[in-house]
Amino acid sequence: MNALLIENLQKTYKNGHVALKGISLTVKKGDFFALLGPNGAGKSTTIGIICSLVNKTSGKVFVFDTDIDVDFQTAKSRIGLVPQEFNFSVFEPVEEILINQAGFYGINRTEARKRAEYYLKKLELWDKRRTIPKELSGGMKRRLMIARALVHEPELLILDEPTAGVDIELRRTMWQFLRDINQQGVTIILTTHYLEEAEMLCKKIAIIDEGNIIEDTTMKNLLNKLNKETFVLTVEGSLEHLPATGDYTLRCVDESTLEAEIIKGQSLNALFDILSSQNIKVLSMRNKTNRLEELYVNLITNSSNKSSVLT
Amino acid sequence: MAIKNVVALKTIVIKEVLRFSRIWVQTILPPAITMTLYFVIFGKLIGSQISKMDGFEYIEYIVPGLILMSVITNSYANVVSSFFSAKFQGHIEEMLVSPTPGYIILLGFITGGLCRGLAVGSVVMLVSFFFVDFRVHSVLVTIFVLLLTSILFSLAGFINAIYAKSFDDISIVPSFVLTPLIYLGGVFYSVNMLSEFWQAVSLANPILYMVNAFRFGLLGVSDIDLTLALSMVFAFTVALFGFCLYLLNKGVGIRA
């Protein structure tokens, strides 16, 4: 079953800006799906249309096989949204925000209170239940947005840059939380600018650029497209000259750091053997950039070049 | 789905009532003070120098208009400020992403406006008992006009909030349209005192019908035929409700 099916979705804003040029997308039930793209690519417009915050120009959107043009109420009852910007009422304490949100989904106050308590405890906000949002830290506000989106227990959770501006420790806690709810059966669509986050969490990925989907595949397939990877090697002692390594391309960053480009088909073991034969001992190794990041930049650059040729 | 809609409506109403109750010093107290001043200055001090109007002391004559004035301004202010703030702070999205239908959202905000309008109206009525001793002529007409007027101006506030893009936009209409209409709507005088020309002009003011219908409810006197007055108020209310619902469902001012 599809959690989300988008067919030929187009959006032209009143000022004439064409945000979506007929995108189609399928997200299967249970997926952890990444929707990536640069700023202004059309990610938030797509999410806005799915959640009824933006009017579409044309195209079709189905949420769990329900056409939003036919029965938007049923479709909306199955979606939870974590928006990009904080959008709380300044007057309402944390607990009340959750109770009210549940109420908008038709959940009575007794049940809403129980759910608010559960999610606030789960996201470590229970102690702050009487606090108003402006007195919360950035990380707490992000967690509150997630709790608010979950209080009606949606089957499809859409997160628009949920970890923007969040410190790494909290980000990791949130990743684990999202993994857990995905394993419990909640389909998740995530947009993020942290590509390692998408690589770590998502099984499927779509990349949108200038209103077009330029890639829609599994994370594994996408990463297989990577032709070369750059590794940073830290070596013991000081290098006097760049070692001779045959087909391998090496660059010297400083006297004890090398950058090695490994083309698809080349072996890292063979490189280590060559270095070892020259008495160069590798102490540590890491990717220069995230693998997905390298691919992403290539895809976006190619897409931009194509469109600039066309125009 | 119907039960869920009732729960959603209840949620919006509780949210709205809590909103203005939390800041009662800004929402309930000021109108009570202002109206007390009106009663003292226009009613007691100046009013004592004015002859009877339609058989009533001047202070008695202006009580219905003053109560209705506070209901109108507070119903309007509640909805315009609440809905615009929800738009401005972005938390209107909490409702928009939910399955709550447009008419429930509209009814919720109107009920919020109604509650504040009636709360302030009740306080002003209580204050008026310190200055005048009157009996309600028709409870039914009084309540009916009070409710319709409050709903009508809640709807007007909603339209203002839908189109408003800044906080200036939500103060322009009350200052430049609502206040003149109220003051020229027969709150402080009988339109029969005006020349024929200005009487005819006054008939274009919807507030004139409400003030007179309410005055009939409280005192039993009116410059306008009661059936005409009630029909006008009812027609305005139905028309504005339809227009608000159209704007909301279309997403004017709230959806890109």
Side-chain angles (χ1 to χ4, degrees):
Chain A
M1 190 191 202
N2 293 326
L4 179 70
L5 175 65
I6 294 174
E7 288 175 347
N8 199 25
L9 189 62
Q10 298 189 29
K11 173 65 188 177
T12 305
Y13 284 101
K14 278 179 191 158
N15 62 7
H17 172 64
V18 182
L20 296 176
K21 298 171 183 167
I23 64 163
S24 296
L25 209 60
T26 305
V27 180
K28 296 268 180 221
K29 190 176 179 218
D31 270 356
F32 205 135
F33 191 95
L35 181 62
L36 306 182
N39 288 329
K43 302 184 298 291
S44 294
T45 299
T46 307
I47 290 171
I49 291 171
I50 299 165
C51 298
S52 162
L53 297 174
V54 176
N55 292 326
K56 64 186 165 69
T57 304
S58 65
K60 284 277 179 193
V61 178
F62 298 87
V63 178
F64 293 100
D65 296 340
T66 303
D67 186 343
I68 63 166
D69 293 330
V70 176
D71 188 359
F72 215 159
Q73 263 189 288
T74 302
K76 287 202 279 187
S77 66
R78 302 176 85 169
I79 304 173
L81 172 69
V82 179
Q84 206 175 106
E85 307 284 342
F86 300 128
N87 60 349
F88 305 113
S89 164
V90 292
F91 296 106
E92 287 170 11
V94 164
E95 189 182 16
E96 211 171 295
I97 287 172
L98 261 63
I99 292 170
N100 284 341
Q101 188 66 21
F104 300 146
Y105 285 81
I107 298 160
N108 68 58
R109 287 183 95 76
T110 316
E111 175 62 20
R113 261 178 224 291
K114 282 185 201 159
R115 291 197 193 184
E117 183 178 344
Y118 173 77
Y119 285 104
L120 289 177
K121 282 181 175 167
K122 190 102 179 152
L123 285 148
E124 294 170 27
L125 287 168
W126 182 242
D127 293 345
K128 299 285 178 187
R129 63 189 180 280
R130 310 246 184 271
T131 311
I132 55 170
K134 73 173 181 183
E135 288 167 13
L136 299 178
S137 69
M140 286 173 180
K141 284 179 191 162
R142 288 269 165 221
R143 279 182 279 155
L144 177 57
M145 297 232 281
I146 294 176
R148 186 179 62 179
L150 288 172
V151 76
H152 64 284
E153 297 179 345
E155 294 160 78
L156 172 61
L157 180 66
I158 302 174
L159 302 119
D160 198 358
E161 297 182 28
T163 53
V166 170
D167 67 59
I168 187 65
E169 194 188 341
L170 179 59
R171 211 182 301 163
R172 285 183 183 181
T173 315
M174 281 166 74
W175 290 345
Q176 192 50 51
F177 180 76
L178 294 175
R179 267 197 209 103
D180 289 346
I181 57 170
N182 179 240
Q183 275 162 14
Q184 286 160 21
V186 177
T187 309
I188 298 180
I189 298 175
L190 170 80
T191 81
T192 179
H193 286 296
Y194 300 115
L195 298 180
E196 82 275 15
E197 182 170 273
E199 185 181 344
M200 205 173 294
L201 294 171
C202 303
K203 297 167 203 137
K204 298 281 296 288
I205 182 168
I207 298 176
I208 186 169
D209 188 35
E210 296 178 359
N212 292 307
I213 298 285
I214 57 169
E215 190 63 71
D216 181 9
T217 184
T218 62
M219 190 64 77
K220 201 175 164 188
N221 282 345
L222 185 65
L223 292 173
N224 278 340
K225 288 185 181 176
L226 198 62
N227 285 320
K228 67 173 183 197
E229 279 185 84
T230 308
F231 293 93
V232 179
L233 311 176
T234 307
V235 297
E236 193 176 60
S238 298
L239 293 169
E240 287 169 9
H241 56 84
L242 198 62
T245 49
D247 290 340
Y248 292 93
T249 310
L250 282 190
R251 276 186 301 276
C252 204
V253 178
D254 59 44
E255 57 186 20
S256 60
T257 312
L258 293 169
E259 268 184 19
E261 256 182 32
I262 306 295
I263 298 166
K264 208 171 189 177
Q266 285 184 326
S267 153
L268 265 172
N269 281 341
L271 175 65
F272 289 149
D273 288 344
I274 294 168
L275 293 173
S276 180
S277 67
Q278 296 174 50
N279 293 323
I280 298 170
K281 192 175 173 188
V282 177
L283 296 176
S284 68
M285 181 188 79
R286 63 177 170 85
N287 276 86
K288 186 183 177 187
T289 51
N290 172 269
R291 296 181 302 162
L292 181 59
E293 196 171 312
E294 258 182 63
L295 265 168
Y296 174 82
V297 171
N298 289 340
L299 283 164
I300 297 294
T301 311
N302 289 341
S303 162
S304 302
N305 288 344
K306 265 187 211 164
S307 62
S308 61
V309 169
L310 289 172
T311 51
Chain B
M1 204 50 99
I3 294 169
K4 288 191 172 188
N5 288 344
V6 172
V7 173
L9 176 62
K10 199 174 141 192
T11 304
I12 301 172
V13 173
I14 292 172
K15 186 180 159 91
E16 284 302 292
V17 172
L18 283 176
R19 193 195 71 89
F20 76 75
S21 311
R22 274 193 195 107
I23 47 171
W24 64 273
V25 177
Q26 294 170 45
T27 54
I28 310 287
L29 195 59
I33 294 171
T34 310
M35 290 306 149
T36 307
L37 291 171
Y38 273 116
F39 287 130
V40 172
I41 297 165
F42 291 104
K44 282 280 176 198
L45 300 177
I46 298 174
S48 59
Q49 309 299 311
I50 298 171
S51 57
K52 284 190 172 183
M53 297 184 85
D54 286 337
F56 290 92
E57 295 293 332
Y58 186 67
I59 190 166
E60 285 176 290
Y61 188 80
I62 64 170
V63 164
L66 291 177
I67 293 171
L68 209 64
M69 184 160 99
S70 59
V71 171
I72 289 172
T73 50
N74 281 280
S75 301
Y76 189 96
N78 195 69
V79 179
V80 76
S81 63
S82 177
F83 195 76
F84 181 71
S85 296
K87 255 174 66 172
F88 187 76
Q89 293 166 29
H91 61 88
I92 188 67
E93 290 180 6
E94 292 175 346
M95 288 177 211
L96 296 181
V97 300
S98 78
T100 310
Y103 72 89
I104 294 289
I105 296 176
L106 182 58
L107 282 175
F109 276 95
I110 292 170
T111 313
L114 186 67
C115 290
R116 176 159 155 199
L118 295 184
V120 173
S122 307
V123 170
V124 173
M125 194 176 255
L126 285 175
V127 170
S128 74
F129 289 141
F130 289 103
F131 298 91
V132 282
D133 182 23
F134 62 84
R135 281 190 302 168
V136 177
H137 175 73
S138 167
V139 176
L140 202 66
V141 172
T142 304
I143 292 173
F144 186 66
V145 176
L146 209 56
L147 291 178
L148 267 191
T149 304
S150 184
I151 292 169
L152 179 60
F153 281 92
S154 296
L155 289 164
F158 192 85
I159 294 169
N160 189 176
I162 286 253
Y163 284 108
K165 288 189 170 68
S166 68
F167 280 99
D168 286 342
D169 294 340
I170 64 168
S171 61
I172 286 171
V173 177
S175 305
F176 297 104
V177 181
L178 204 53
T179 307
L181 283 179
I182 292 171
Y183 279 79
L184 297 171
V187 170
F188 296 101
Y189 57 87
S190 162
V191 281
N192 293 330
M193 294 163 67
L194 304 175
S195 66
E196 268 187 37
F197 173 76
W198 286 111
Q199 276 189 42
V201 171
S202 294
L203 292 176
N205 182 356
I207 292 175
L208 181 78
Y209 299 93
M210 297 165 208
V211 169
N212 277 282
F214 193 60
R215 187 170 283 141
F216 179 86
L218 282 182
L219 305 178
V221 294
S222 171
D223 295 339
I224 310 282
D225 174 62
L226 184 67
T227 314
L228 174 67
L230 292 178
S231 307
M232 291 292 278
V233 180
F234 188 73
F236 273 121
T237 308
V238 172
L240 284 199
F241 188 86
F243 185 54
C244 284
L245 204 54
Y246 166 79
L247 294 175
L248 196 56
N249 288 337
K250 193 105 175 134
V252 177
I254 48 174
R255 285 194 186 99

